[in-house]
Amino acid sequence: MNDLSPLAARLRALPPSCGPVRLIAVDGHAGSGKSTFAARLSAALDDAPVLHLDDLAAHGSFFTWVDRLREQVLGPLERGECARYAPYDWTARRFGAPRGLEPAPVVLIEGVGAGRRALRPRLARLLWMDLAAAESWERGRRRDGPALSEFWDGWTAAEAEHFSADPSRSHADALVRQLPVGYELLEGPGTEAGANRSITERERSAPSY
């Protein structure tokens, strides 16, 4: 599946989940391809807004951004207002000037923990980038180079702890697997059908998006 327009059409047809917004989460391990997939899906959705959770996280508090997300983003979107959040500068180590996020019909939220327990009631769909942790982290380390090796050591420990306490994959509506060209989408374990069928069975009857 290289054309994401059928998936985009299905997402547009969903009922709103956060005020007038259909909030779609793209979750997965660091390095699994979330940002790239979210960008391509955004394009298929006529440049739907994308909130990157890296903008809400910070050094020393990788997963303690829920209150900022609720106050700066989810609250305004629920009221049909433009959200304004302060993105974190990972180089300067401080939060920057506020940035706007419009209450578009579909808004994508991508990042590790996008499908966490605190967010799921407001999500219209949860998509999980289905690449194992070790492979994802190795990809991320190669991408960022040896200068960030120490950062990655701290990140992977924090991510493993987060998903151990608050897993997302088991609640996913769809699993997204990157292919040499395009993507394959499978029913997620969070769907009624997905919860009652093995991965092998789902692979044989992958939905046509």
Side-chain angles (χ1 to χ4, degrees), residues 177 184 186 197-207:
R177 294 183 179 174
E184 178 185 26
L186 307 175
R197 296 163 64 189
S198 69
I199 287 291
T200 301
E201 289 172 329
R202 293 201 297 275
E203 286 175 343
R204 287 200 295 265
S205 57

Side-chain angles (χ1 to χ4, degrees), residues 14-91:
L14 295 171
S17 60
C18 183
V21 173
R22 294 149 187 84
L23 195 61
I24 309 299
V26 180
D27 202 344
H29 298 290
S32 61
K34 298 179 302 300
S35 297
T36 298
F37 177 76
R40 293 179 180 176
L41 182 56
S42 169
L45 287 161
D46 300 320
D47 296 323
V50 181
L51 174 66
H52 302 283
L53 290 177
D54 284 351
D55 288 338
L56 297 181
H59 284 94
S61 58
F62 294 145
F63 295 101
T64 57
W65 39 257
V66 171
D67 287 343
R68 283 195 295 277
L69 180 66
R70 285 172 173 159
E71 294 168 8
Q72 299 179 15
V73 178
L74 298 183
L77 293 183
E78 285 182 327
R79 298 189 295 271
E81 301 170 359
C82 179
R84 292 184 64 79
Y85 64 97
Y88 184 70
D89 187 325
W90 289 86
T91 301

Side-chain angles (χ1 to χ4, degrees), residues 44-160:
L45 287 161
D46 300 320
D47 296 323
V50 181
L51 174 66
H52 302 283
L53 290 177
D54 284 351
D55 288 338
L56 297 181
H59 284 94
S61 58
F62 294 145
F63 295 101
T64 57
W65 39 257
V66 171
D67 287 343
R68 283 195 295 277
L69 180 66
R70 285 172 173 159
E71 294 168 8
Q72 299 179 15
V73 178
L74 298 183
L77 293 183
E78 285 182 327
R79 298 189 295 271
E81 301 170 359
C82 179
R84 292 184 64 79
Y85 64 97
Y88 184 70
D89 187 325
W90 289 86
T91 301
R93 292 178 175 249
R94 63 173 180 264
F95 289 96
R99 181 181 298 167
L101 184 75
E102 294 292 337
V106 179
V107 172
L108 305 178
I109 175 171
E110 75 84 16
V112 179
R116 68 192 301 173
R117 185 181 302 113
L119 274 64
R120 287 197 292 271
R122 292 180 172 90
L123 298 179
R125 281 293 182 274
L126 168 54
L127 311 179
W128 174 266
M129 300 302 295
D130 205 34
L131 187 68
E135 187 175 353
S136 297
W137 295 341
E138 178 59 27
R139 283 175 48 170
R141 286 178 183 271
R142 288 199 307 268
R143 178 194 65 203
D144 293 343
L148 291 179
S149 179
E150 185 176 351
F151 172 84
W152 270 94
D153 291 343
W155 173 271
T156 54
E159 182 182 308

